[in-house]
Amino acid sequence: MKIHLKPLIILIIFIASQNFLAATKPNVSRKIVLIDNWKVQQNGKVMKDGSAISSSKNDCKNWYKATIPSTVIGVLTANGLYKDLFMGDNYKQVDKKQFDDSWWYSTKFDLPNLVPENTISLNFDGINYYANIWLNGKLIASRTIIYGTFRQFKFDISSLAKKKGNVLAVELFRAQPGDFNLGFVDWNPRPLDENMGIWRPVYIKIHGKVGMKNTVVQSKVNTTSLNEAWLTVKTELQNNSLDGVSGTLIGTFDKVEFRYPIKLRANENKNITLTSKEIAALYIKNPKLWWCNNLGNPNLHKLSLRFETDINITDSDEITFGIREIETYFTDEGHKGFILNGKKILIKGAGWTDDIFLRDTKQSLETQIQYVKHMNLNTLRFESIWGTSQNLYDLCDKYGILAMVGWSCQWEWDEYLGKPCDAFGGIQTESDVNLALSSLSDQIYWLRNHPSIFVWFLGSDKLPKPELEIKYKNLIEKIDNRPYLLTAGTRTSEISGPVGVKMNGPYEYVSPNYWYEDTKNGGAFGFNTETSPGAQIPTFESIKKMIPSDKLWPINKDWDYHCTHSAVAFKNLDVNTLMIDKRYGKALDLKDYLMKSDVLGYEAMSGMFEAFRANIPKSTGIIQWMLNSAWPSFYWQLYDYYLLPTSGYYATKKANAVNQLVYDYAKNEVIAVNEALNPLKNYKAHISILDFNSKILKSEIVPFDIESIQSKSIFILDNYADNVFLDLKLLDDKGAIITTNFYWLSNKKDVFDWDKTFWGNTPIKEYADYNKLHDLPKSNINAFVSTKSLTSSTELSVQIQNTTSKVAFFVNLNILDKFGKTIFPVFWNENFVSILPNEKRTIKCIIPNNVKNSKKNLIISGWNIKTQNINF
């Protein structure tokens, strides 16, 4: 075969030159985020030059430095006001009338290198709640059209913008009763300023003749083989010139480039949809899929998209996306479940809340999402579309945490919304409906590229009105491709039928057997979208930041103020205290109360999660209410406001280990659980039963196999005349210990008064008795510490040996700095553990390198051991 080299060389040179020209074409698009150099004041006015000044004589004293995003009260606290705001009941002493007035945000910015063809827009991702917006002394929008927490606003400022000295001033007004604001409901007091502020980013977008917006990448997966996927790329192009424009839409992802020629008429807006039919590269063989935590890697991809003419790149966008497919199904009993990439998954999650003043930082958010992953959870429920930026959802994408995103029940009840509500909540009038629709549309466009978001919540406690449901449905089908839930509760829509989820409580303490025995309300069947065994008491270190030193004991009204702010329940720790008194014995002092609360909370939290896992596939989802706290609290948290884990944190981690052995309190059985994608073959359960004097009553090894994402009973316990310890160790096919689990079981069961069940909980009328734990013989452990440097962290290994013939019960490990404060975040592979007689165990902890402290102390404490302090 004769090859003509000259034409081939010419072709190669031509292609190379075209690529060079494309690479060197100027990109006239820019995005300038206005983060710093803001100032905030009360009672301002706009001057001729566009600046906002105080209307009072003491102008300089009324300015506060600010950044965006922020709220007014967040700015004030950042400037040193209200330093002890959360101590005792100081919060309710603040005069909130100051927020009845308008407050001003103002900044200056330059726009160098502008050219005549530039289109310049001013964009607000979130304003709360009403605003007048001024640019360079001109009112560009008034509060009659600028309102709504979840709406986004864009203004063409091409004719107003200058190269230097642009002045932006925003006059803000807080939400009024009846407005659809952010929803903290009863979890904490209402924010002092109702979260008035510019609570999401503000930015300037500059592009050429043709602008680009609403770019999205959607995926479909072969859920049988998982070896192929199809992408769809959508974007909108707007020709802002009076002439027609010809150009090329160019995209690159995973080292692949595609091109698509486009012609636009003068002032034409065109929706572009590209599939594998138009672009072969959008068909993917052997795709790297996005999986949720513990099922696989949350693989992410980046699409760079630009519109290019012969002259320049007029606009560009960069999208991070995941390749995955979400489906829903109903069980035979009518319960809804979710399918990820063809695999039915058990939703295991908790309810998120932002900081009460929306002051979360990138670091605090990352720590919290790392906590979620560390606890072996796979989901967060966002009741309210939380987050002051997309960073929160970026982190869910990164760590493989599924996100349920939607509206808050604050919009559905008179006392929270501030106006009469009916069976469908507060969205009633035509203007309400229009606001809800525009808000939902803005939020979906804003967030729809996040693979972590797998469902939209269109209500919380109630259904939307039928006519609103239809409009919601039509909107979502037009712009998105993931499912939605009409409500979190057990409801039936006249339009679409049963929702298939439940929200029947409880929210207050129930003992572990509740979840196995209840068959009507919150028990371990179906999808419980929010529920909790109640209070989770923080560490003494955190309590001292909440409760004045002279009111630490006994529990009093200052403690009550830091429970929930519900109008009907959960307003004090009476139930927590009653459970301690009845089940573990009356606390002698604060230290004893905190220890028993830790044991009580651990037992309750592990029982809840374990029951839902033990009942796979009858159970399809469980959301602990809640994950975190918006302010210092004693209720509904797996770690506290100061980011210190509770005992329930480690109960959750242990209960949700991918492969685990759990105890069924109702059937007296040991259940094997496998939530991995692969079956387990030739595994073994080492089951040990000891009395409270540590005498071994039974020790047995049980072999078993189990399929993927299944649970099965493998062992039935005898009935014992007295209390016992149950120790479970899961061994793989090579005999290595995969995980452990430990229980303290009473021969006297908790008995519920089922007839008195209400949405808060089911009362207990007969109590399990753990008073004999007071008489546990003393135990002793020796500990040896070693450290190992990793790439971005330090691994701490603690080799623990029980040197006695007695169980060391409920051993806690904690790391303090030289000032005696807990170092965080740290990630123990297990904690609050019990060590069998003469047992050796290595417990490991990961300390990120950004936790800087030269001197550290390891504190080892427990129910029946002497506290140890080890320097390392």
Side-chain angles (χ1 to χ4, degrees):
M1 179 178 179
K2 188 175 181 180
I3 299 175
H4 298 280
L5 293 178
K6 188 174 181 180
L8 181 61
I9 292 171
I10 292 172
L11 177 62
I12 291 173
I13 293 172
F14 174 76
I15 293 173
S17 65
Q18 291 298 107
N19 289 337
F20 174 78
L21 289 173
T24 56
K25 283 182 181 178
N27 186 345
V28 299
S29 67
R30 286 180 288 157
K31 182 177 180 179
I32 302 169
V33 184
L34 305 179
I35 299 174
D36 300 313
N37 302 315
W38 287 81
K39 51 187 180 180
V40 168
Q41 67 170 357
Q42 186 180 15
N43 294 325
K45 61 181 180 180
V46 174
M47 303 300 289
K48 290 182 179 180
D49 66 353
S51 61
I53 67 166
S54 173
S55 58
S56 70
K57 295 181 180 179
N58 299 316
D59 176 56
C60 295
K61 295 182 179 179
N62 285 278
W63 282 114
Y64 300 99
K65 292 182 179 179
T67 59
I68 298 294
S70 64
T71 64
V72 171
I73 187 64
V75 170
L76 298 183
T77 56
N79 279 270
L81 282 71
Y82 310 120
K83 291 182 179 179
D84 295 318
L85 189 57
F86 295 151
M87 178 61 72
D89 64 358
N90 288 351
Y91 189 88
K92 66 182 181 182
Q93 311 303 327
V94 177
D95 181 11
K96 294 189 288 186
K97 291 182 179 179
Q98 61 183 309
F99 304 112
D100 292 341
D101 297 327
S102 66
W103 284 71
W104 290 77
Y105 278 71
S106 182
T107 190
K108 293 183 179 181
F109 60 93
D110 296 333
L111 296 174
N113 304 319
L114 292 181
V115 296
E117 73 168 38
N118 285 152
T119 295
I120 309 164
S121 62
L122 170 63
N123 300 264
F124 291 84
D125 280 346
I127 296 176
N128 196 11
Y129 190 84
Y130 302 88
N132 294 320
I133 302 174
W134 304 73
L135 181 67
N136 296 332
K138 181 177 177 60
L139 180 67
I140 62 173
S142 74
R143 61 177 296 178
T144 58
I145 61 171
I146 306 301
Y147 63 89
T149 304
F150 296 102
R151 294 176 68 195
Q152 297 186 333
F153 301 98
K154 179 179 179 179
F155 308 99
D156 188 335
I157 60 170
S158 303
S159 61
L160 280 177
K162 304 180 295 185
K163 290 186 177 182
K164 289 188 176 182
N166 293 281
V167 180
L168 175 62
V170 182
E171 183 183 16
L172 287 157
F173 306 85
R174 71 170 179 82
Q176 300 299 312
D179 289 334
F180 297 95
N181 197 359
L182 286 166
F184 288 96
V185 198
D186 57 1
W187 321 329
N188 44 262
R190 295 183 77 103
L192 294 167
D193 61 350
E194 296 293 330
N195 289 136
M196 171 171 52
I198 304 177
W199 76 291
R200 281 179 172 164
V202 179
Y203 60 93
I204 306 295
K205 181 68 189 295
I206 302 172
H207 62 76
K209 289 182 178 181
V210 176
M212 180 188 305
K213 67 176 182 178
N214 294 331
T215 304
V216 66
V217 181
Q218 297 172 336
S219 59
K220 185 172 180 57
V221 175
N222 183 330
T223 55
T224 301
S225 66
L226 301 182
N227 64 4
E228 56 182 350
W230 299 263
L231 303 183
T232 298
V233 176
K234 297 180 181 181
T235 194
E236 296 178 39
L237 297 178
Q238 172 67 53
N239 180 8
N240 296 293
S241 73
L242 298 177
D243 302 313
V245 175
S246 295
T248 306
L249 192 64
I250 303 172
T252 58
F253 70 96
D254 294 348
K255 299 181 180 180
V256 174
E257 181 181 277
F258 63 85
R259 293 170 173 259
Y260 189 75
I262 292 173
K263 290 184 178 181
L264 297 168
R265 298 187 303 273
N267 295 313
E268 181 183 7
N269 186 84
K270 180 177 285 189
N271 290 305
I272 308 297
T273 298
L274 302 178
T275 69
S276 58
K277 294 179 181 179
E278 293 80 23
I279 305 294
L282 298 180
Y283 169 70
I284 313 295
K285 288 290 290 181
N286 301 314
K288 292 183 177 180
L289 301 178
W290 187 93
W291 291 98
C292 67
N293 186 31
N294 285 334
L295 276 187
N297 293 323
N299 293 298
L300 295 173
H301 309 263
K302 284 190 177 181
L303 169 69
S304 294
L305 195 66
R306 66 184 187 269
F307 186 76
E308 189 174 293
T309 67
D310 292 338
I311 301 173
N312 58 27
I313 298 168
T314 70
D315 206 354
S316 60
D317 208 348
E318 187 168 277
I319 299 297
T320 299
F321 68 96
I323 303 174
R324 60 99 178 97
E325 186 161 340
I326 296 290
E327 302 168 273
T328 63
Y329 71 97
F330 282 90
T331 67
D332 292 340
E333 298 81 13
H335 304 301
K336 178 165 283 187
F338 288 86
I339 302 171
L340 174 62
N341 298 331
K343 307 297 181 181
K344 292 180 179 179
I345 58 173
L346 176 66
I347 298 297
K348 301 175 298 182
W352 173 278
T353 178
D354 279 1
D355 173 82
I356 189 172
F357 300 149
L358 309 186
R359 297 173 300 181
D360 293 300
T361 65
K362 286 186 177 181
Q363 182 57 57
S364 71
L365 290 177
E366 180 135 26
T367 294
Q368 292 180 79
I369 302 303
Q370 287 175 328
Y371 279 169
V372 175
K373 178 179 174 66
H374 186 241
M375 283 186 281
N376 291 313
L377 298 176
N378 61 18
T379 303
L380 284 176
R381 180 183 169 196
F382 298 97
E383 185 187 338
S384 240
I385 302 179
W386 290 115
T388 57
S389 70
Q390 295 202 38
N391 187 44
L392 179 57
Y393 304 96
D394 291 339
L395 291 166
C396 288
D397 297 342
K398 174 182 175 181
Y399 288 103
I401 307 301
L402 292 162
M404 311 170 72
V405 179
W407 302 139
S408 169
C409 73
Q410 176 159 319
W411 296 6
E412 299 170 344
W413 299 100
D414 301 23
E415 61 268 37
Y416 303 123
L417 182 56
K419 73 174 185 178
C421 298
D422 60 16
F424 298 101
I427 303 174
Q428 299 176 2
T429 66
E430 183 179 357
S431 62
D432 292 343
V433 168
N434 291 336
L435 175 61
L437 284 169
S438 63
S439 297
L440 181 64
S441 177
D442 286 349
Q443 296 307 294
I444 292 178
Y445 275 120
W446 192 56
L447 295 171
R448 63 180 177 168
N449 275 299
H450 293 280
S452 56
I453 298 176
F454 72 104
V455 68
W456 303 111
F457 255 116
L458 305 182
S460 181
D461 297 7
K462 301 179 181 181
L463 291 167
K465 287 181 178 294
E467 56 269 31
L468 179 56
E469 176 186 340
I470 293 171
K471 292 179 178 180
Y472 276 153
K473 177 177 181 292
N474 293 337
L475 170 67
I476 293 173
E477 288 178 349
K478 182 179 178 181
I479 64 177
D480 198 41
N481 67 338
R482 74 199 81 199
Y484 61 86
L485 280 173
L486 290 174
T487 177
T490 308
R491 306 277 183 175
T492 298
S493 163
E494 65 182 60
I495 303 297
S496 53
V499 177
V501 298
K502 65 179 184 177
M503 193 183 68
N504 303 328
Y507 297 87
E508 187 59 276
Y509 180 87
V510 289
S511 56
N513 54 314
Y514 168 89
W515 308 100
Y516 295 93
E517 295 177 10
D518 175 73
T519 58
K520 295 181 179 180
N521 293 297
F525 61 92
F527 188 170
N528 196 335
T529 59
E530 59 175 64
T531 191
S532 178
Q536 283 287 321
I537 309 301
T539 66
F540 181 54
E541 181 177 332
S542 294
I543 292 172
K544 288 189 294 183
K545 299 176 182 178
M546 306 158 52
I547 307 298
S549 58
D550 61 340
K551 296 181 180 179
L552 286 171
W553 187 258
I555 292 173
N556 51 67
K557 290 183 178 180
D558 285 82
W559 287 63
D560 295 346
Y561 191 69
H562 288 270
C563 293
T564 81
H565 282 245
S566 168
V568 294
F570 329 119
K571 296 185 289 184
N572 52 52
L573 291 174
D574 289 356
V575 173
N576 190 76
T577 301
L578 176 65
M579 293 305 123
I580 289 175
D581 292 350
K582 294 292 188 180
R583 302 175 85 249
Y584 289 93
K586 189 175 180 65
L588 302 177
D589 52 27
L590 178 56
K591 180 180 180 182
D592 194 34
Y593 186 87
L594 296 182
M595 170 67 84
K596 289 175 177 174
S597 292
D598 282 345
V599 174
L600 183 80
Y602 187 104
E603 176 199 29
M605 194 62 69
S606 62
M608 180 185 72
F609 278 111
E610 287 176 352
F612 278 82
R613 301 189 70 216
N615 279 351
I616 295 172
K618 182 181 176 183
S619 57
T620 59
I622 169 68
I623 299 293
Q624 146 66 16
W625 199 254
M626 301 173 69
L627 172 77
N628 55 349
S629 291
W631 86 313
S633 175
F634 292 109
Y635 257 86
W636 302 335
Q637 58 191 355
L638 297 177
Y639 51 88
D640 66 32
Y641 179 74
Y642 303 102
L643 304 186
L644 301 185
T646 65
S647 66
Y649 176 106
Y650 284 99
T652 299
K653 177 175 174 58
K654 179 73 71 173
N656 288 302
V658 179
N659 307 126
Q660 185 57 287
L661 303 172
V662 303
Y663 172 69
D664 183 329
Y665 285 82
K667 296 180 180 178
N668 210 29
E669 297 177 337
V670 175
I671 309 293
V673 181
N674 175 26
E675 284 195 82
L677 292 180
N678 300 316
L680 305 182
K681 302 293 184 182
N682 301 317
Y683 271 53
K684 297 180 180 65
H686 187 184
I687 300 169
S688 301
I689 301 169
L690 303 86
D691 64 20
F692 273 20
N693 197 41
S694 299
K695 178 182 177 182
I696 297 177
L697 305 178
K698 176 168 281 192
S699 180
E700 191 163 336
I701 294 179
V702 180
F704 68 93
D705 299 335
I706 185 171
E707 295 302 313
S708 169
I709 313 181
Q710 291 291 324
S711 66
K712 65 183 289 187
S713 173
I714 62 170
F715 185 79
I716 299 176
L717 275 69
D718 298 327
N719 291 317
Y720 292 94
D722 209 340
N723 294 357
V724 297
F725 291 128
L726 171 64
D727 183 75
L728 304 176
K729 290 183 172 65
L730 177 62
L731 284 66
D732 66 13
D733 54 356
K734 297 179 181 178
I737 295 176
I738 300 301
T739 189
T740 64
N741 215 345
F742 189 88
Y743 300 85
W744 46 106
L745 305 177
S746 172
N747 63 320
K748 184 180 178 182
K749 303 292 186 181
D750 292 289
V751 179
F752 290 94
D753 194 344
W754 297 107
D755 292 337
K756 294 183 179 179
T757 296
F758 80 112
W759 60 269
N761 79 335
T762 299
I764 298 174
K765 61 182 180 181
E766 296 181 24
Y767 298 89
D769 186 359
Y770 295 109
N771 276 273
K772 290 186 178 180
L773 286 171
H774 287 285
D775 302 323
L776 282 186
K778 294 294 182 182
S779 183
N780 182 70
I781 61 172
N782 287 341
F784 304 93
V785 175
S786 61
T787 60
K788 178 182 178 181
S789 294
L790 304 177
T791 302
S792 59
S793 60
T794 298
E795 181 184 78
L796 173 70
S797 293
V798 184
Q799 297 179 14
I800 290 180
Q801 180 177 4
N802 185 342
T803 61
T804 72
S805 60
K806 308 301 178 185
V807 170
F809 179 62
F810 214 65
V811 176
N812 177 34
L813 294 84
N814 193 32
I815 303 174
L816 305 180
D817 64 18
K818 61 182 179 181
F819 303 106
K821 295 182 179 180
T822 298
I823 294 174
F824 73 94
V826 297
F827 302 91
W828 294 101
N829 66 331
E830 59 179 340
N831 211 335
F832 296 97
V833 298
S834 294
I835 314 296
L836 295 188
N838 301 307
E839 181 182 8
K840 293 181 180 179
R841 189 181 299 185
T842 299
I843 300 176
K844 295 184 178 182
C845 174
I846 299 298
I847 306 173
N849 285 346
N850 59 3
V851 177
K852 296 179 180 179
N853 194 279
S854 57
K855 180 181 178 182
K856 301 180 179 70
N857 298 319
L858 173 64
I859 307 298
I860 305 176
S861 59
W863 186 279
N864 62 333
I865 67 169
K866 183 179 179 181
T867 299
Q868 297 185 39
N869 186 334
I870 302 173
N871 296 326
F872 69 97

